[in-house]
Amino acid sequence: MRRGLLFIVSAPSGTGKTTLVAQLVKTVPELVVSRSYTSRPPRSGEADGVDYNFVDDDRFMALVDAGGLLEWATVFGCRYGTGREETERHRRAGRDVVLVIDVEGARQVREHCPDAIAIFVLPPSFHVLEQRLRRRSGGDVGEPQIRRRLDTARREVAAAEDYAYLVVNDHVDRCVAQLRSIVMAERARTPVVDDAVTGIVAAFRAQDEQG
Ligand code: ADP
Ligand code: 5GP
């Protein structure tokens, strides 16, 4: 069995990466989204062990000290990180894993796992990003928080060219189809293909030797 691939998806907050990745993993077999640890409190409608593993700051830092996180970063004043063991377990079982993480976390993963496939999702424009942030918050999030996310977005997009793939989230279905194409193409790379495919090559070689 081949080892699972590691995909990174980054995008400015409000671009739609959570929406896209949720749809992507529904339609692609053997692809899972990693559930991060965070020290931020759950928002209404979020559940521990579903959206995130919600932990307090002490537990988060204990995980960091124990080397339990593959990467971690502080985003909008809270800590977020990817569990090393969970990611490894999926990959050992042959499942491809998607990490939905910020640009700092992505930089750390690329440093330690040069094979990771990094995808940056862009909003169609700055203006559309602002609209999506406002619509999602439904007026619950104050103007300073929206401004902070937009300022951060400017810095994050500056890192976009460090990613292997750039996709634009204009329409969810189109963008999910493009992400699916990337996953499928990466799965068909010669060093990655599974035993069934290398078995076909070996069977042809055996024919050749007989003949
Ligand atoms: P992120 O995870 O990047 O912060 P979300 O997935 O929470 O973003 O999406 C932000 C908001 O934008 C949500 O209200 C979502 O429904 C909406 N959204 C996502 N993709 C699109 C799209 N292609 N067109 C219009 N609205 C979108
Ligand atoms: P939110 O609080 O809106 O769920 O997430 C805020 C940001 O944290 C997201 O834009 C996402 O990129 C980032 N994030 C979520 N999980 C992780 C993680 O495990 N590691 C890192 N580095 N960033 C994360």
Side-chain angles (χ1 to χ4, degrees), residues 11 17 36 40 43 52 71 73 75 80-82 100-102 105:
K17 60 191 174 299
S36 298
R40 92 154 155 72
R43 295 189 189 122
Y52 282 103
E71 61 74 34
V75 188
Y80 295 80
T82 302
V100 184
I101 60 177
D102 84 319

Side-chain angles (χ1 to χ4, degrees), residues 123-131 147 149-151 153-154:
S125 67
F126 189 80
H127 177 66
V128 169
L129 178 65
E130 185 168 358
Q131 282 179 336
R147 285 283 131 218
R149 278 170 162 70
L150 290 170
D151 285 344
R154 284 196 197 91

Side-chain angles (χ1 to χ4, degrees), residues 39-200:
S39 67
R40 92 154 155 72
R43 295 189 189 122
S44 75
E46 285 183 336
D48 184 31
V50 179
D51 303 280
Y52 282 103
N53 297 314
F54 292 100
V55 291
D56 60 22
D57 243 4
D58 289 349
R59 169 115 168 78
F60 192 98
M61 290 319 290
L63 274 167
V64 172
D65 292 342
L69 299 181
L70 184 61
E71 61 74 34
W72 71 278
T74 302
V75 188
F76 305 124
C78 296
R79 296 189 166 106
Y80 295 80
T82 302
R84 190 187 295 280
E85 182 44 40
E86 296 90 315
T87 309
E88 193 47 41
R89 196 172 344 106
H90 284 305
R91 296 185 71 193
R92 266 203 307 268
R95 286 186 290 273
D96 299 337
V97 183
V98 187
L99 310 180
V100 184
I101 60 177
D102 84 319
V103 296
E104 166 55 25
R107 195 189 53 72
Q108 293 171 31
V109 174
R110 281 202 309 268
E111 210 172 284
H112 298 116
C113 316
D115 293 347
I117 302 135
I119 307 169
F120 196 93
V121 185
L122 289 159
S125 67
F126 189 80
H127 177 66
V128 169
L129 178 65
E130 185 168 358
Q131 282 179 336
R132 285 187 191 163
L133 277 169
R134 288 188 196 287
R135 203 173 311 133
R136 179 178 63 176
S137 78
D140 284 356
V141 175
E143 193 58 28
Q145 276 102 319
I146 303 256
R147 285 283 131 218
R148 189 180 186 189
R149 278 170 162 70
L150 290 170
D151 285 344
T152 305
R154 284 196 197 91
R155 284 202 305 278
E156 287 177 322
V157 171
E161 282 162 355
D162 296 336
Y163 286 64
Y165 293 96
L166 290 176
V167 301
V168 178
N169 180 17
D170 43 11
H171 300 288
V172 171
D173 290 350
R174 193 209 61 78
C175 194
V176 170
Q178 190 175 8
L179 292 173
R180 196 184 303 122
S181 303
I182 294 169
V183 171
M184 293 314 188
E186 290 291 336
R187 284 182 175 181
R189 276 188 191 274
T190 309
V192 169
V193 287
D194 60 24
D195 293 346
V197 180
T198 47
I200 296 171

